[in-house]
Amino acid sequence: MPLKLAPGLSIRKSLIQGKGCFATKTFPGGRKIAEYTGERIPDQEARRRARRAKLRICDIDGRFSLDGSRGGNGTHYINHCCEPNAYMKTLHGHILFLALRDISPGEEITVDYEQTLHPDTKRCRCGAPTCRGTINKI
Ligand SMILES: [Zn+2]
């Protein structure tokens, strides 16, 4: 299935990890970047899939999750960073990415994952001066 990217996003190699999600236009601070899309699955299935090496799963409400590796729009490539330029917000069962500040074309879009299905020991290599050293906030 070809990847259908949300408007204003492109996927290319990231300095943080693997591929990343980059802006191709300006996203003003406080404004929506895109919605996280993917296959809707129960959290139990999400935990089962978490054994995969590449994790593209986002929890909606503690019961259901979205797996962006199936039906994702590019937002599932958004990497974690301890000094992010975007954040996630759940609204009426939808997961939205919003800009924390103005994001310029060419910038990699990042969020602070805070909690993931990764083990708490998983190291963060975001390279930010304030990097806390782990992906999960513990
Ligand atoms: Zn970090």
Side-chain angles (χ1 to χ4, degrees):
M1 196 165 61
L3 190 59
K4 266 186 94 179
L5 294 174
L9 304 182
S10 77
I11 305 302
R12 41 194 178 82
K13 197 171 163 12
S14 163
L15 291 173
I16 298 172
Q17 189 209 296
K19 287 179 184 168
C21 182
F22 290 77
T24 60
K25 61 170 190 164
T26 302
F27 290 104
R31 300 285 288 275
K32 177 183 157 184
I33 297 168
E35 179 176 344
Y36 190 102
T37 62
E39 183 189 1
R40 189 179 152 96
I41 52 172
D43 278 354
Q44 193 183 355
E45 171 66 7
R47 281 188 292 274
R48 195 183 67 77
R49 292 186 189 183
R51 290 187 219 124
R52 288 192 311 226
K54 290 251 189 300
L55 197 52
R56 306 289 186 197
I57 294 174
C58 196
D59 185 70
I60 304 171
D61 54 7
R63 288 186 303 134
F64 284 92
S65 294
L66 293 178
D67 186 349
S69 65
R70 300 180 192 185
N73 59 0
T75 53
H76 55 299
Y77 283 102
I78 293 178
N79 276 315
H80 163 87
C81 180
C82 298
E83 262 181 57
N85 55 17
Y87 65 102
M88 279 184 273
K89 187 171 152 181
T90 308
L91 204 66
H92 308 301
H94 297 269
I95 302 166
L96 304 177
F97 289 93
L98 298 135
L100 269 177
R101 55 163 174 81
D102 291 357
I103 300 174
S104 310
E107 268 193 82
E108 177 167 4
I109 298 166
T110 56
V111 298
D112 185 343
Y113 289 174
E114 294 189 356
Q115 288 300 326
T116 68
L117 292 165
H118 289 303
D120 285 346
T121 50
K122 181 147 172 101
R123 308 297 301 167
C124 179
R125 304 185 196 286
C126 73
T130 57
C131 180
R132 62 176 172 255
T134 56
I135 303 247
N136 290 346
K137 213 173 193 171
I138 44 177

